[in-house]
Amino acid sequence: MAEGPIVSFRQVGKTYPNGTVALTDASFDIRRGSIHAICGENGAGKSTLMKILFGLESPSAGQVFIDGAAADTATPDFAGKHGIGMVHQHFSLVPILTVTENIILGHEPRSSIFIDRTKARRQVVELSERFDLAVDPDARTDTLSVAAQQKVEILKALSRDTRLLILDEPTAVLSPPEIEELFNRLRDLRAAGMTILFISHKLHEVRALAETVTVLRAGKVVGTTPLAEVDDAEITRMVMGRDVDVPRRQRQTTSAPVVLELAKVSTRSHDPADRIEDISLSIRADEIVGIAGVDGSGQRGLVSVLSGLMHPASGSIRLSGADMSRAAAPAWRKAGLAYLPADRYAQGGTASLSLADNAIAGTDGDKALQWGPFLRRGAIRQRVQQMIADYAVRAGGTGERLDSLSGGNAQKLIAARELAGSPKLLIADQPTRGVDVAAAALLHGRIDQAARNGAAVLLITADLDELLRLADRVLVLFNGRIVADLANHAGLTPAALGPYMLGLEKAS
Amino acid sequence: MTRSILAGLTEFALTALVIVLVILAVLVPVALSQPDPFEVLRLFVLGPFGTIRHMGNILEAATPAMMTGLAATIIFRAGMFNLGVEGSFFLGGLAAAATAVLLPLTGFVATPAAILVGALVGSLACIVPGYLRVRFGASEMVNSLVLNFAFLFAGVYFLNYVLRDPNAGALMSYKLPADFTLDRLLQGTRLHTGVIIAFVACILGGIWLYGTRSGLNVRIVGSSPGFASHLGLASSKLLMQAQVAGGLIAGMAGAIEVLGLYSRFSWTALPGLGWTGITVAILARENPFLVIPAALFLAYLQVGGDMLARNLDVPSEIVGLVTAAILLAVTAAAIFRHPAFLRLIRDIKGQERGA
């Protein structure tokens, strides 16, 4: 067997066709026969990296080396050829098939045109004994417990001469004894010479199992270090962001009038992302309130009640004193709501229409752009060219389709439209997700400017750097409730927000 | 700007090339089966331009295709795959004929009244599936497809028991009074004033879709419903408006067809010109301005095919084959980009997950 690392990433980057930058310049090695952990927050680039290694995505920059040789990751049989198996976080088993059928799926042993079931069953039994993962080969998969299904997944991943096993958050679905059991099996696999890549956010698990950890943040490798050489606080800092303080926003006044006021607002929904409970908050003019929280903690519900797409089940919402609890979307718009959405094409614009069409959408009745029912094409072109210049949008012309722009430029155009009419309330929902650095800086400046011009700003973001840079006050959402309300002073760090976001602590 | 023009030209040239290749691919084997293969090609390609009369035939055949193409374009642009255009065309023709037979109108009000009634009654076939979709989320494609036949058989019943002329040899209506029929434009052809209405309608449709606020809003609702609801656009209302407008135009097309071409109403099957309209809309990439050339092109193929059938031993069904092949080639890209189609596929996927 060759010496040296089994896998080396060299300057690997991934930019999606819509301009989202998922990974930049990732370089690190995975040592043969080790358990290597990958840590990072949601959206840090972990899953993109694993998809590249498993051959599901091809990198847009850089190179992956396997056994020291440059590998062509873009071929469908890449993973099989190099002996890479993956256990996905969401199992990919067919529930109505038996364990044996699931494991052999895709490489069934055959006798002429038929599946050789006796041989298949024997293979599965052998595999299960060899790796000490006990499963009933004849059980229907949907009758098994989650832990047993995971064993089937692992066996499936191991069934093709696997040398490198990727586990994507394998403990998320398991109980503590099951986790211990899984870890023992993984240690046995390592002893048998298997290389294991273990993705997790849970630090104590990483420490219990792995020798080396690579931390990713915002698509970049923060560092790769042996676990013996770092303490927990150090890793936390690597995961959550640098310790050095970000420059914070300075408010002009803290006594501006309250613009938005929510009192004990709750929603009813089956989906936890839409469910909020007993939310009370107020935002003044020239104030940016940041919402931190793990994805799906109620952010979507909060946005929906604040834009009229959903009505609260109880509680009251007031905007500039007017009751908006039952107001629909057009009324919110009329009252001065601007919205920078997380999903540029589903909520912020329409991909197949032109920049001009996108830029003037929703300006119904603007006399400068309209003559009766007719649009003034000349005036519109001028207005949109002005927007493009003001927001430094890199675009060919106002007639191009929105999806011909990169993600950052599309977002800048959407911001130009939303911030045009000096809004009273701005909801910025992941305003710079997947946007390049220069565009993000410009958008931050414009959000700050909107606040200075008298807007109340609600900033929802998973990027804690962005949160601390812009917000005057940070609220942490957990399970639809506000669990912390913290002034953003110089001492507040991402690490300090972590326990609230994970529901470990609660402050009032 | 120049880049987008260049891109547009390239797209057009590629489309034209594909169409020429497809026509040849279908026509050459057929031509080879004939004693004089070049005569087949010549007649099909150049024949329709041979005489004024044949060119008149092109316009005559393009008239209903333009109108139904415009109707389908408006409906598709709103993001609905409502196939009620065919039913609307049939009902529009029937209602116009019924007005002519049953109402004692004379003079200059007669024709407009019949067209109006045709449009109003015809629009039902688009409105009903559209409403079921907006109100109950029922698939507009399935409902419109099925309802087309319900409207057909209800219409044939009405024809048989109300409009039927017992002295005519077959199942057809009483003669339509001359005051109701459209004037002929060109001696020796059946070209009628309806062609002017069709041209004007397409141009007005294009101005509405691209030049007015409500046209823009319909395009937004059709291409990105989530964005539309965040903007606070009245999505359901805009969707319904597009279905009503499309239905009215398709109904009007049926009325014009009957009043322009026939002396009696005798459709006992779906005439198929609504389907042609859907073909036209897809060929025209759902642009009302491009509906005109697309409809003219399909009409040109139709006339060429008719000439083959009349002069040589080639059945006119060859046109259906050519059209089908062209559509297949063109939709290979258009289906892929079609928002209504994409949503349809997404919906179907969603239903599978739910099941």
Side-chain angles (χ1 to χ4, degrees):
Chain A
M1 194 183 267
E3 284 305 305
I6 185 165
V7 175
S8 302
F9 292 96
R10 286 293 170 266
Q11 279 93 41
V12 172
K14 178 73 186 174
T15 306
Y16 286 98
N18 65 8
T20 306
V21 182
L23 205 58
T24 34
D25 211 18
S27 301
F28 65 96
D29 295 336
I30 297 165
R31 198 161 52 79
R32 202 177 296 279
S34 68
I35 298 184
H36 191 118
I38 309 266
C39 275
E41 288 185 292
N42 289 337
K46 299 184 304 252
S47 56
T48 304
L49 195 64
M50 291 309 108
K51 280 180 188 163
I52 288 173
L53 183 56
F54 195 55
L56 294 174
E57 303 255 15
S58 51
S60 46
Q63 197 42 280
V64 180
F65 294 84
I66 303 224
D67 296 327
D72 179 11
T73 48
T75 55
D77 64 342
F78 171 78
K81 201 171 82 191
H82 292 287
I84 299 171
M86 181 157 175
V87 177
H88 297 269
Q89 191 179 353
H90 303 286
F91 298 155
S92 52
L93 299 173
V94 183
I96 58 161
L97 297 186
T98 67
V99 168
T100 301
E101 286 165 336
N102 263 298
I103 291 175
I104 62 164
L105 195 65
H107 54 120
E108 303 86 353
R110 289 164 197 262
S111 58
S112 75
I113 59 163
F114 298 104
I115 295 174
D116 186 342
R117 292 188 179 272
T118 332
K119 192 174 169 197
R121 190 172 184 284
R122 200 173 60 237
Q123 279 179 0
V124 170
V125 172
E126 274 170 16
L127 203 63
S128 146
E129 281 167 2
R130 187 169 134 216
F131 294 110
D132 195 13
L133 289 160
V135 289
D136 173 2
D138 303 318
R140 247 177 71 146
T141 314
D142 54 2
T143 63
L144 299 179
S145 72
V146 175
Q149 287 190 30
Q150 189 175 53
K151 280 185 193 163
V152 177
E153 275 274 343
I154 294 173
L155 281 175
K156 190 179 169 182
L158 292 173
S159 66
R160 306 190 195 190
D161 293 326
T162 304
R163 305 183 294 148
L164 173 64
L165 180 65
I166 305 170
L167 295 141
D168 188 0
E169 307 211 12
T171 59
V173 291
L174 301 181
S175 65
E178 289 167 337
I179 292 175
E180 201 39 54
E181 162 83 10
L182 171 72
F183 282 9
N184 287 332
R185 292 290 84 77
L186 293 179
R187 289 189 193 105
D188 292 347
L189 284 174
R190 172 178 55 188
M194 184 80 61
T195 311
I196 296 170
L197 209 53
F198 175 74
I199 301 167
S200 174
H201 337 267
K202 292 178 189 152
L203 200 48
H204 61 273
E205 292 179 356
V206 168
R207 199 165 273 289
L209 194 61
E211 294 103 80
T212 317
V213 61
T214 293
V215 177
L216 288 174
R217 177 154 44 83
K220 294 197 179 70
V221 173
V222 182
T224 300
T225 119
L227 276 155
E229 292 174 16
V230 284
D231 60 8
D232 284 359
E234 176 65 25
I235 298 178
T236 309
R237 269 197 296 279
M238 288 166 74
V239 171
M240 300 302 279
R242 63 207 127 124
D243 228 0
V244 289
D245 241 2
V246 292
R248 275 157 224 264
R249 178 174 187 267
Q250 293 297 322
R251 279 163 89 178
Q252 292 158 313
T253 162
T254 51
S255 58
V258 171
V259 174
L260 180 73
E261 195 162 20
L262 276 73
K264 294 188 174 300
V265 173
S266 301
T267 59
R268 275 196 216 103
S269 170
H270 297 294
D271 190 337
D274 283 329
R275 207 180 301 138
I276 54 177
E277 276 177 63
D278 234 8
I279 298 266
S280 297
L281 67 89
S282 62
I283 310 178
R284 293 173 184 275
D286 187 24
E287 185 179 28
I288 302 180
V289 170
I291 301 281
V294 175
D295 261 4
S297 300
Q299 291 95 330
R300 200 171 69 201
L302 187 59
V303 171
S304 295
V305 298
L306 289 182
S307 50
L309 298 185
M310 218 164 100
H311 294 308
S314 62
S316 80
I317 305 172
R318 301 181 88 78
L319 183 66
S320 303
D323 181 26
M324 301 294 280
S325 312
R326 321 293 317 163
W332 275 97
R333 282 268 156 189
K334 201 165 276 171
L337 166 74
Y339 177 50
L340 279 179
D343 190 334
R344 245 145 263 159
Y345 298 120
Q347 289 139 21
T350 160
S352 63
L353 298 189
S354 71
L355 301 189
D357 288 342
N358 273 285
I360 63 158
T363 58
D364 296 45
D366 183 337
K367 289 277 177 284
L369 302 179
Q370 234 175 305
W371 178 74
F374 297 103
L375 299 169
R376 296 173 191 263
R377 280 285 157 193
I380 288 170
R381 192 172 310 119
Q382 264 181 12
R383 165 89 60 100
V384 177
Q385 273 162 353
Q386 191 60 46
M387 285 174 162
I388 287 176
D390 285 350
Y391 279 76
V393 180
R394 276 215 302 269
T398 57
E400 277 188 34
R401 283 164 58 115
L402 184 68
D403 60 3
S404 71
L405 301 187
S406 72
N409 282 307
Q411 187 73 332
K412 286 192 278 187
L413 187 81
I414 292 164
R417 179 189 69 222
E418 291 298 313
L419 300 178
S422 53
K424 268 192 196 146
L425 170 65
L426 169 63
I427 300 176
D429 186 1
Q430 319 290 355
T432 62
R433 179 182 278 176
V435 159
D436 62 279
V437 182
L442 183 136
L443 288 166
H444 288 164
R446 297 307 161 103
I447 291 169
D448 176 50
Q449 192 57 46
R452 277 175 207 286
N453 291 345
V457 180
L458 186 72
L459 171 70
I460 298 163
T461 180
D463 177 350
L464 296 180
D465 259 10
E466 172 173 270
L467 187 79
L468 295 178
R469 205 176 280 273
L470 284 177
D472 301 305
R473 200 144 59 81
V474 176
L475 305 180
V476 184
L477 269 187
F478 182 78
N479 270 352
R481 291 175 182 276
I482 294 177
V483 292
D485 181 347
L486 309 161
N488 185 9
H489 54 78
L492 193 63
T493 60
L497 291 172
Y500 299 113
M501 290 169 66
L502 298 173
L504 302 175
E505 272 180 54
K506 210 175 153 173
S508 42
Chain B
M1 206 63 186
T2 48
R3 263 170 52 207
S4 67
I5 290 171
L6 198 69
L9 280 178
T10 315
E11 199 178 352
F12 179 78
L14 282 176
T15 312
L17 182 72
V18 166
I19 288 172
V20 169
L21 287 177
V22 164
I23 292 175
L24 288 178
V26 177
L27 214 54
V28 166
V30 174
L32 288 177
S33 72
Q34 296 292 311
D36 184 358
F38 287 100
E39 176 61 10
V40 174
L41 287 179
R42 196 198 61 79
L43 207 57
F44 187 79
V45 177
L46 299 176
F49 295 123
T51 64
I52 299 283
R53 190 164 64 86
H54 289 143
M55 288 199 265
N57 290 145
I58 296 180
L59 287 175
E60 170 199 317
T63 304
M66 276 193 260
M67 298 280 286
T68 52
L70 175 66
T73 293
I74 290 172
I75 285 170
F76 291 173
R77 274 288 181 160
M80 282 231 201
F81 209 69
N82 184 342
L83 305 176
V85 174
E86 177 69 35
S88 289
F89 187 83
F90 170 83
L91 276 186
L94 175 72
T99 313
V101 170
L102 301 176
L103 291 187
L105 294 171
T106 51
F108 64 92
V109 289
T111 311
I115 292 177
L116 184 69
V117 173
L120 289 174
V121 174
S123 65
L124 277 178
C126 286
I127 291 173
V128 172
Y131 179 77
L132 292 176
R133 159 65 187 282
V134 168
R135 183 73 179 74
F136 302 107
S139 164
E140 75 278 12
M141 190 183 78
V142 172
N143 281 328
S144 59
L145 210 52
V146 172
L147 278 172
N148 280 343
F149 289 94
F151 285 123
L152 167 70
F153 292 118
V156 172
Y157 176 91
F158 184 74
L159 172 64
N160 196 13
Y161 287 94
V162 182
L163 300 180
R164 181 173 194 166
D165 183 351
N167 298 321
L171 175 54
M172 52 177 70
S173 74
Y174 287 99
K175 272 197 145 208
L176 309 178
D179 272 351
F180 284 93
T181 55
L182 293 164
D183 297 331
R184 291 281 148 94
L185 282 179
L186 201 61
Q187 277 306 312
T189 70
R190 299 190 297 170
L191 186 63
H192 51 84
T193 43
V195 71
I196 301 167
I197 300 177
F199 267 103
V200 171
C202 285
I203 289 164
L204 288 181
I207 292 173
W208 170 72
L209 199 59
Y210 292 107
T212 69
R213 177 61 75 173
S214 67
L216 172 64
N217 287 345
V218 164
R219 285 185 290 135
I220 291 172
V221 169
S223 60
S224 183
F227 177 44
S229 58
H230 268 287
L231 281 178
L233 296 181
S235 300
S236 314
K237 200 173 128 200
L238 286 164
L239 269 176
M240 275 321 290
Q241 277 173 359
Q243 309 312 302
V244 172
L248 286 172
I249 294 166
M252 199 166 139
I256 288 171
E257 184 77 354
V258 166
L259 301 178
L261 294 184
Y262 304 114
S263 56
R264 295 167 185 269
F265 181 86
S266 62
W267 289 339
T268 51
L270 290 174
L273 285 159
W275 305 135
T276 308
I278 289 164
T279 312
V280 169
I282 293 171
L283 263 182
R285 305 242 149 104
E286 292 160 41
N287 179 334
F289 296 120
L290 296 183
V291 161
I292 297 173
L296 285 171
F297 177 70
L298 285 187
Y300 155 78
L301 293 181
Q302 184 63 54
V303 172
D306 288 346
M307 291 183 72
L308 283 186
R310 228 173 293 132
N311 297 303
L312 300 168
D313 187 21
V314 176
S316 68
E317 276 76 16
I318 186 81
V319 178
L321 207 57
V322 171
T323 315
I326 288 175
L327 202 64
L328 212 61
V330 170
T331 48
I335 283 182
F336 193 62
R337 289 184 192 171
H338 199 297
F341 248 110
L342 290 178
R343 221 202 25 237
L344 197 71
I345 291 162
R346 212 167 48 222
D347 283 354
I348 292 167
K349 276 186 185 161
Q351 280 157 15
E352 271 178 5
R353 251 203 314 279

